[in-house]
Amino acid sequence: MKTYRYVDGEYEIRSEIKRSLFIATVKGEVDAEGAEEFVKTVRKRYPDATHNCYAYITDELGNCTRFSDDGEPGGTAGQPILDVLRKQGLVRTAIVVTRYFGGIKLGAGGLVGAYSGVAAEAVGNAVISQNTECGEIEICAGYSDFSVIEKYIRKAVCSIKEIEYGDNVIASIYVPTDLIKAFSDDVKELSGARANVLVRDGTVYRKI
């Protein structure tokens, strides 16, 4: 079953390290465009900051990455922030760590520890959710049959997209791709093969 983990929402933490103020802001469910916009938003929020370093992963497989040291010594900020995302197994998530320099230099090792530490703390304070690769199934059934089917749907591993009530009941359901055949077979069996079950083309990732 294909899944991915991400930060569910936007979170911020602040930490003072040797007089420098570090502000880590993390946001999930971002694509490449959304991540860039998030970075711009944080920069506008703290326009007088010394540095706004960031890293993000914007695809489900964890391949589309970008990071920036934003003026800090190479390898001391962006890469450590990215490493936090990878160690936590998070994708479609961006982190910006803002620094207000307090007058005391931290050195390369100190910077790596500071940036990775506050990034990890921000992730630790966030809600982590998981999305699952799903296919969409459309069920068309009479009211009496659907009353039985609905009880099954409410207990099954799936997510209801919508239910329309007309001459018949038409329900659109997201089902994990690995479970589509079993789900479809169960619905047909519960309705005595009277329900029409259509598996739509394509897949999406949904919270189940």
Side-chain angles (χ1 to χ4, degrees), residues 11-15 22-26 117-123 125:
Y11 304 86
E12 178 185 285
I13 65 99
R14 295 175 177 236
S15 180
F22 289 85
I23 306 168
T25 313
V26 57
V118 295
E121 185 179 353
V123 169
N125 287 345

Side-chain angles (χ1 to χ4, degrees), residues 16-80:
E16 185 175 319
I17 302 173
K18 292 186 177 180
R19 297 183 184 175
S20 283
L21 173 63
F22 289 85
I23 306 168
T25 313
V26 57
K27 183 176 182 178
E29 279 295 72
V30 293
D31 56 14
E33 183 178 351
E36 282 294 318
E37 187 60 35
F38 171 63
V39 172
K40 291 178 183 177
T41 297
V42 175
R43 281 176 171 163
K44 290 178 182 177
R45 191 179 301 165
Y46 304 110
D48 56 340
T50 314
H51 306 281
N52 280 292
C53 307
Y54 66 84
Y56 55 72
I57 301 175
T58 57
D59 70 322
E60 291 84 2
L61 298 177
N63 296 324
C64 297
T65 65
R66 188 172 180 180
F67 60 88
S68 171
D69 295 311
D70 193 34
E72 293 282 29
T76 63
Q79 185 66 58

Side-chain angles (χ1 to χ4, degrees), residues 148-159:
V148 177
I149 294 169
E150 186 173 17
K151 292 178 182 178
Y152 168 76
I153 291 173
R154 299 293 179 183
K155 295 180 180 179
V157 179
C158 64
S159 173

Side-chain angles (χ1 to χ4, degrees), residues 140-195:
C140 180
Y143 279 79
S144 59
D145 285 328
F146 189 76
S147 65
V148 177
I149 294 169
E150 186 173 17
K151 292 178 182 178
Y152 168 76
I153 291 173
R154 299 293 179 183
K155 295 180 180 179
V157 179
C158 64
S159 173
I160 298 172
K161 180 182 179 183
E162 62 180 352
I163 300 177
E164 298 179 358
Y165 298 91
D167 293 338
N168 292 300
V169 182
I170 300 176
S172 295
I173 312 295
Y174 290 117
V175 179
T177 50
D178 293 352
L179 304 179
I180 286 176
K181 186 180 185 305
F183 186 95
S184 300
D185 290 345
D186 287 345
V187 169
K188 291 174 183 177
E189 182 178 348
L190 287 169
S191 68
R194 290 182 293 274

Side-chain angles (χ1 to χ4, degrees), residues 85-131:
L85 291 173
R86 286 177 169 159
K87 288 176 182 177
Q88 295 294 328
L90 298 171
V91 297
R92 292 182 61 85
T93 299
I95 303 176
V96 180
V97 179
T98 302
R99 182 189 184 191
Y100 285 88
F101 182 56
I104 299 177
K105 294 184 178 180
L106 302 182
L111 287 172
V112 170
Y115 278 101
S116 62
V118 295
E121 185 179 353
V123 169
N125 287 345
V127 173
I128 307 299
S129 293
Q130 177 173 285
N131 278 353

